[in-house]
Amino acid sequence: MPATLAQRREDLSTRILDAGAARRAADDNGLIERFIRAFYAHMPPDDVALETPADLFGAAMAMFKLANGRRDPAPLVRAYAPNIEDDGWASSRTVVEIVTDDMPFLVDSLRGALNARDLAVHLTIHPIMRLKRDPEGAIVDVRSHAEASASQDGFASESLLQLRATDVSAAGALNDIAQDL
């Protein structure tokens, strides 16, 4: 019998976590594991079938690094061309990452802004997570949107978006994209 979508998603998360086992060895409270599971919880495995588990781990860690330390409601935006040396993962696409409060029409607006620059979006990873932060903005606990109720003390719903778009390698163009968004 073929695996269910839930089983395939769980297998994807396990392969990603296994690929990053050495890099998350100091994760003694399981924060990184919970973050990665929530980050890819609704990702159709076929959408990332050509990505290596190591790159998927690196992509999730890049998102965690951006999200960790967000102190105010202002959105955090980063546009870059990831490479192993600088980022711990690689992609042939331009990557746009955004951390912001959850709001309607966010994905459509961002895709529209990228399309207006003649950039095609090839992959969208958009978990809505319930994050608990310390006073400095560091993430101290993570729940997927589905497993956390709105009444949980200290947790806030945040949208994390990672879009993979047409390759733009010029640093100036990457900065312009980040500023426009």
Side-chain angles (χ1 to χ4, degrees), residues 70-135:
R70 180 176 181 241
R71 294 184 65 147
D72 60 48
L76 298 176
V77 180
R78 178 181 182 204
Y80 66 113
N83 63 73
I84 297 291
E85 297 78 30
D86 296 331
D87 306 298
W89 74 290
S91 176
S92 62
R93 307 281 186 198
T94 292
V95 176
V96 178
E97 296 173 334
I98 299 166
V99 180
T100 190
D101 294 342
D102 187 30
M103 63 186 76
F105 308 110
L106 186 60
V107 174
D108 290 339
S109 298
L110 294 170
R111 289 177 68 99
L114 291 172
N115 287 339
R117 292 179 150 272
D118 290 325
L119 300 175
V121 176
H122 300 276
L123 178 66
T124 301
I125 302 172
H126 176 228
I128 300 169
M129 292 187 189
R130 303 278 300 154
L131 301 177
K132 187 173 189 175
R133 297 176 179 276
D134 70 12

Side-chain angles (χ1 to χ4, degrees), residues 3-51:
T4 66
L5 181 57
Q7 290 167 327
R8 293 177 56 224
R9 285 180 173 153
E10 177 60 29
D11 179 57
L12 174 65
S13 290
T14 299
R15 286 184 288 123
I16 293 167
L17 290 164
D18 288 348
R23 288 177 58 191
R24 64 182 183 92
D27 181 29
D28 55 12
N29 68 359
L31 180 65
I32 298 300
E33 179 176 345
R34 288 192 308 280
F35 183 88
I36 288 173
R37 288 189 184 281
F39 188 70
Y40 290 113
H42 299 288
M43 174 61 31
D46 290 344
D47 287 3
V48 292
L50 299 178
E51 306 267 348

Side-chain angles (χ1 to χ4, degrees), residues 38 128-132 141-157:
I128 300 169
M129 292 187 189
R130 303 278 300 154
L131 301 177
K132 187 173 189 175
D141 203 357
V142 176
R143 298 285 181 258
S144 71
H145 194 68
E147 69 182 347
S149 70
S151 65
Q152 285 185 304
D153 188 33
F155 284 82
S157 287

